[in-house]
Amino acid sequence: MKKLNGTSIDRIIEMAWEDRTTFEAIEFQFGLKEQEVINLMRTEMKLSSFKMWRKRVQGRKTKHEKLRNFEKGRFKCSRQKSISNNNIAKR
Protein backbone atom coordinates (compact mmCIF):
# COMPACT_ATOMS: atom_id res chain seq x y z
CA MET A 1 0.00 0.00 0.00
CA LYS A 2 1.16 3.53 -0.74
CA LYS A 3 2.55 5.83 1.95
CA LEU A 4 -0.20 8.31 2.81
CA ASN A 5 -0.08 11.31 5.10
CA GLY A 6 -2.71 12.00 7.74
CA THR A 7 -4.60 14.49 5.58
CA SER A 8 -4.89 11.99 2.71
CA ILE A 9 -6.04 9.22 5.05
CA ASP A 10 -8.71 11.51 6.54
CA ARG A 11 -9.93 12.47 3.05
CA ILE A 12 -10.07 8.82 1.91
CA ILE A 13 -12.11 7.89 4.98
CA GLU A 14 -14.44 10.83 4.36
CA MET A 15 -14.88 9.86 0.70
CA ALA A 16 -15.49 6.21 1.62
CA TRP A 17 -18.29 7.24 4.01
CA GLU A 18 -19.99 9.40 1.35
CA ASP A 19 -22.75 7.52 -0.44
CA ARG A 20 -22.20 9.07 -3.86
CA THR A 21 -18.39 8.81 -3.98
CA THR A 22 -17.38 5.69 -5.86
CA PHE A 23 -14.41 3.45 -5.15
CA GLU A 24 -13.25 4.29 -8.67
CA ALA A 25 -13.11 7.99 -7.74
CA ILE A 26 -10.96 7.15 -4.71
CA GLU A 27 -8.70 5.01 -6.91
CA PHE A 28 -8.39 7.80 -9.48
CA GLN A 29 -7.49 10.41 -6.85
CA PHE A 30 -5.35 8.34 -4.45
CA GLY A 31 -4.40 5.18 -6.38
CA LEU A 32 -6.05 2.80 -3.89
CA LYS A 33 -8.17 -0.09 -5.16
CA GLU A 34 -11.39 -1.06 -3.36
CA GLN A 35 -9.70 -3.77 -1.25
CA GLU A 36 -6.97 -1.34 -0.21
CA VAL A 37 -9.62 1.19 0.87
CA ILE A 38 -11.33 -1.54 2.90
CA ASN A 39 -8.02 -2.46 4.54
CA LEU A 40 -7.30 1.20 5.29
CA MET A 41 -10.73 1.64 6.86
CA ARG A 42 -10.18 -1.52 8.93
CA THR A 43 -6.85 -0.27 10.33
CA GLU A 44 -7.80 3.39 10.85
CA MET A 45 -11.25 3.01 12.40
CA LYS A 46 -12.63 1.48 15.56
CA LEU A 47 -13.95 -2.03 14.99
CA SER A 48 -17.57 -1.00 15.59
CA SER A 49 -17.29 1.93 13.15
CA PHE A 50 -15.68 -0.30 10.52
CA LYS A 51 -18.45 -2.91 10.86
CA MET A 52 -21.12 -0.21 10.55
CA TRP A 53 -19.41 1.19 7.42
CA ARG A 54 -19.06 -2.26 5.81
CA LYS A 55 -22.72 -2.99 6.45
CA ARG A 56 -23.69 0.32 4.77
CA VAL A 57 -21.37 -0.05 1.78
CA GLN A 58 -21.78 -3.73 0.97
CA GLY A 59 -23.99 -4.12 -2.08
CA ARG A 60 -24.55 -0.36 -2.46
CA LYS A 61 -24.89 0.48 -6.15
CA THR A 62 -23.71 4.06 -5.75
CA LYS A 63 -20.24 2.95 -4.60
CA HIS A 64 -19.45 1.35 -8.00
CA GLU A 65 -19.51 3.33 -11.26
CA LYS A 66 -20.57 0.33 -13.38
CA LEU A 67 -23.68 -0.23 -11.24
CA ARG A 68 -24.82 3.40 -11.27
CA ASN A 69 -27.40 4.58 -13.75
CA PHE A 70 -27.16 8.33 -14.15
CA GLU A 71 -29.00 9.79 -17.10
CA LYS A 72 -27.72 13.34 -16.57
CA GLY A 73 -24.14 13.57 -15.32
CA ARG A 74 -23.13 13.69 -11.70
CA PHE A 75 -25.06 14.87 -8.68
CA LYS A 76 -24.68 18.56 -7.87
CA CYS A 77 -26.09 20.36 -4.88
CA SER A 78 -28.46 23.19 -5.77
CA ARG A 79 -26.47 25.51 -3.47
CA GLN A 80 -23.08 24.54 -4.90
CA LYS A 81 -22.58 27.85 -6.74
CA SER A 82 -22.81 29.79 -3.48
CA ILE A 83 -20.28 27.58 -1.63
CA SER A 84 -16.71 28.84 -1.64
CA ASN A 85 -13.72 27.95 0.54
CA ASN A 86 -15.86 25.51 2.56
CA ASN A 87 -18.16 28.35 3.67
CA ILE A 88 -21.73 28.82 2.55
CA ALA A 89 -22.25 32.37 1.36
CA LYS A 90 -24.94 34.40 3.10
CA ARG A 91 -28.21 34.42 1.25
Side-chain angles (χ1 to χ4, degrees):
M1 194 156 82
K2 291 174 49 173
K3 288 276 188 182
L4 299 166
N5 62 26
T7 305
S8 295
I9 290 171
D10 289 345
R11 182 64 184 135
I12 292 167
I13 291 171
E14 184 180 344
M15 290 173 75
W17 269 101
E18 293 171 349
D19 289 338
R20 293 185 177 268
T21 303
T22 63
F23 286 115
E24 290 84 2
I26 296 171
E27 183 177 1
F28 177 78
Q29 190 168 350
F30 294 98
L32 296 177
K33 296 192 180 299
E34 179 180 355
Q35 189 59 49
E36 293 172 318
V37 173
I38 293 169
N39 291 339
L40 177 86
M41 298 290 277
R42 183 179 283 124
T43 59
E44 295 293 325
M45 298 174 70
K46 294 187 302 185
L47 181 61
S48 60
S49 298
F50 172 75
K51 286 181 178 181
M52 183 174 25
W53 174 76
R54 280 300 288 158
K55 188 176 180 181
R56 277 188 74 217
V57 170
Q58 219 159 14
R60 187 175 286 267
K61 289 183 179 184
T62 57
K63 292 305 279 184
H64 298 278
E65 279 185 16
K66 290 181 182 178
L67 299 177
R68 295 171 82 157
N69 57 352
F70 284 123
E71 288 83 27
K72 292 189 174 189
R74 21 177 273 187
F75 171 76
K76 181 177 171 187
C77 176
S78 61
R79 296 178 296 142
Q80 190 166 348
K81 289 180 186 176
S82 61
I83 297 174
S84 61
N85 297 330
N86 293 329
N87 294 319
I88 298 176
K90 293 181 180 176
R91 297 178 201 180

